[in-house]
Amino acid sequence: MSIDVLIPESVDAAAEAYGDGRDVTVVGGGTIVVQLMTQGWLRPTRALMLSKAGLSYVRKSGSAVTVGAMTPVTDVADLFAPLGPCAANVGDNEIRAQATVGGNLCAPTPPEHPSGDLQGPLLALDASVRSTGAGGESTETVEEFLTHRDARLVLDLSFEEPVAGAFAALDRPHAHHPTALAVSAVKAGDGSIRLAATGAGPTAIRLSSAEAAADDPEAAGQAALADADLQDDALASAWYRERMLPLLVQRVLNEIKEV
Amino acid sequence: MNITLNGVSRQISSPPLTPLLRVLRNELNVVSAKAGCEAGGCGACTVLVDGRPQRSCLTAVGSLNGAAVTTLEGLGTSENLSAVQQAFVHHYAAQCGFCTPGMVVAATAYLDAGGSDDKEAIQEALGGHVCRCTGYLKIVNAIAAAATQSEFDLTITAEEPNVVVKTGGR
Ligand SMILES: Cc1cc2nc3c(=O)[nH]c(=O)nc-3n(C[C@H](O)[C@H](O)[C@H](O)COP(=O)(O)OP(=O)(O)OC[C@H]3O[C@@H](n4cnc5c(N)ncnc54)[C@H](O)[C@@H]3O)c2cc1C
Ligand code: FES
Ligand code: FES
């Protein structure tokens, strides 16, 4: 069966080609989709390749940052915490150069383990996602976006450089998997603290109970357990995650406290 | 569509979603890039795309129209090995050889980008490459040597053996 493959050369052409997104498989850097096709898990009928769509950019204006969906993970690895250190921790340098920020946000949640390490920092930064699809272009928070990310074409992400940020993750035995568990913290301009975790649910989640207890890092660590949906998977057991999540929360809170 | 493969323009007839690795091996008959895992996890399929190392098993060929692809075949020949290839021979950096094309390609890109003989930097640069034989030490040593040297003695004979002399007691 022949596959209809579209390779648009502008953002407008990409949006038009995507349409309402029905039956369209988006190919970003391809580090996930191409192997899914090789293994036969994914058999697209229509594919939209974004490689030439002009969506790779990091724009800074004052403390505001906008990152195009096709920006390689490498290009955000030197940004501030928690995003920069998290990006620098993804895969290895060849994967980081090919993997995109948009593809990471949209990484499917396989049964073996959650995926998409950058979702945590983006949640903590309260990034907004500009996307297109049915009903045209729209902008929403990452938190909202993560509830329906299959049905949109991501164009770019915007967020503010925080007053302070921190990222802590369980170390990995090798670079072939997302981290088993990671926590991101952000201190915003108004002094409020936002916390998010990856590996503590099917996608990254905000740790709102921990945020409410942020003045006391130890209590916040325990409170985080109420926000999480810890599972056994190929990377770690729920038992282990339950012991590590409070620790990581404490670490990032102590780190941003000092700023 | 077209790619420039090792300096020669080639027309591609495989569908655009075909992984570059399969195009190289099945359509273009260029087989140095190896299908190790076909899932991005081993580095054996690494080639240069416009000079930068990239996993060919994860790269849909349709994204490469007009790009320059370099495989091991484009770096040196058996008669005229590149500095990195010579260093691999001199330092015994290959055993079964399955990982070697990916290692050599990635090491070449690392050195071309100005990489030094710093062993930690070399490990970081080749962090995505798996070798089941050598234990990595000889590979890292070979790349470090190629950072400062461009010719290696490859004529190891009984008269001129590659001998390492070590002295000292316990
Ligand atoms: C060896 C290896 C190591 C890895 N290590 C890590 C790791 O440490 N951490 C981690 O988080 N991930 C890791 N990954 C997974 C993956 O590389 C990253 O998640 C990457 O950021 C995905 O981006 P991509 O552009 O390659 O995605 P693609 O494969 O192109 O796409 C991924 C998904 O997102 C969709 N998509 C892509 N772009 C868009 C868009 N603009 N709008 C809407 N949908 C889109 C695709 O349709 C697909 O469903 C690893 C992968 C490999 C092979
Ligand atoms: S075959 Fe491509 S990384 Fe293993
Ligand atoms: S030499 Fe055998 S895998 Fe590296």
Side-chain angles (χ1 to χ4, degrees):
Chain A
M1 187 183 61
S2 92
I3 308 166
D4 193 11
V5 180
L6 305 153
I7 311 178
E9 301 203 354
S10 72
V11 179
D12 289 344
E16 200 188 307
Y18 184 75
D20 65 3
R22 198 172 310 149
D23 298 329
V24 178
T25 299
V26 179
V27 183
T31 58
I32 294 174
V33 239
V34 174
Q35 57 172 302
L36 289 179
M37 289 186 295
T38 299
Q39 292 153 2
W41 295 109
L42 188 66
R43 296 176 197 276
T45 49
R46 291 182 71 208
L48 174 61
M49 295 180 72
L50 295 177
S51 48
K52 300 205 160 44
L55 283 168
S56 175
Y57 47 83
V58 179
R59 293 182 186 137
K60 292 181 192 166
S61 148
S63 62
V65 183
T66 299
V67 178
M70 283 298 287
T71 306
V73 172
T74 305
D75 290 7
V76 294
D78 56 359
L79 286 185
F80 40 79
L83 185 59
C86 176
N89 193 49
V90 166
D92 55 74
N93 68 331
E94 286 158 13
I95 292 294
R96 287 192 291 278
Q98 183 172 356
T100 68
V101 173
N104 201 289
L105 181 66
C106 297
T109 302
E112 311 91 72
H113 52 72
S115 196
D117 283 359
L118 301 185
Q119 293 168 6
L122 291 169
L123 259 184
L125 286 164
D126 200 21
S128 52
V129 184
R130 192 166 67 92
S131 68
T132 186
E137 198 176 303
S138 65
T139 301
E140 63 196 319
T141 62
V142 168
E143 199 162 4
E144 286 164 349
F145 179 78
L146 285 175
T147 61
H148 62 95
R149 65 208 162 109
D150 289 344
R152 305 293 297 173
L153 176 70
V154 179
L155 301 175
D156 56 27
L157 290 135
S158 299
F159 43 86
E160 293 280 321
E161 174 163 2
V163 175
F167 173 75
L170 294 184
D171 202 4
R172 292 174 298 175
H174 54 68
H176 304 165
H177 289 298
T179 45
L181 189 67
V183 176
S184 297
V186 157
K187 187 192 263 182
D190 61 2
S192 64
I193 286 176
R194 290 191 297 263
L195 292 163
T198 41
T203 61
I205 49 162
R206 273 287 281 277
L207 301 173
S208 9
S209 315
E211 287 171 1
D215 286 341
D216 177 352
E218 216 181 309
Q222 285 309 315
L225 293 173
D227 299 317
D229 172 19
L230 302 176
Q231 303 287 338
D232 288 328
D233 60 40
L235 300 183
S237 63
W239 181 92
Y240 184 56
R241 287 187 161 105
E242 191 181 325
R243 274 139 195 90
M244 292 300 119
L245 181 63
L247 257 174
L248 295 181
V249 169
Q250 269 185 58
R251 291 267 173 95
V252 290
L253 284 175
N254 285 331
E255 187 102 354
I256 57 169
K257 250 185 158 177
E258 284 160 22
V259 180
Chain B
M1 65 164 289
N2 274 283
I3 61 170
T4 303
L5 177 62
N6 298 326
V8 180
S9 177
R10 303 290 296 262
Q11 182 128 15
I12 308 295
S13 55
S14 301
L17 291 178
T18 316
L20 173 62
L21 176 66
R22 298 220 169 156
V23 175
L24 289 171
R25 297 184 63 88
N26 301 348
E27 182 182 336
L28 301 172
N29 221 3
V30 168
V31 294
S32 67
K34 297 285 178 278
C37 63
E38 294 195 80
C42 75
C45 66
T46 305
V47 301
L48 302 180
V49 174
D50 294 329
R52 305 216 315 202
Q54 192 162 319
R55 307 278 219 280
S56 63
C57 71
L58 299 181
T59 304
V61 73
S63 66
L64 297 179
N65 198 7
V69 175
T70 307
T71 64
L72 188 78
E73 288 86 346
L75 298 180
T77 59
S78 318
E79 296 73 39
N80 191 14
L81 297 177
S82 73
V84 175
Q85 289 172 318
Q86 290 182 40
F88 268 60
V89 173
H90 185 82
H91 285 271
Y92 304 113
Q95 284 184 28
C96 79
F98 197 81
C99 71
T100 312
M103 293 281 185
V104 169
V105 163
T108 303
Y110 166 77
L111 295 174
D112 284 351
S116 74
D117 61 358
D118 180 79
K119 294 192 177 170
E120 263 187 43
I122 294 170
Q123 284 182 40
E124 175 64 27
L126 273 82
H129 292 253
V130 176
C131 174
R132 304 198 304 182
C133 308
T134 65
Y136 301 102
L137 200 60
K138 288 171 187 292
I139 293 173
V140 173
N141 288 344
I143 298 167
T148 56
Q149 202 177 326
S150 55
E151 300 261 354
F152 291 83
D153 184 9
L154 305 178
T155 53
I156 300 163
T157 60
E159 291 74 39
E160 284 190 60
N162 192 4
V163 173
V164 180
V165 182
K166 288 182 179 164
T167 52
R170 285 224 267 172

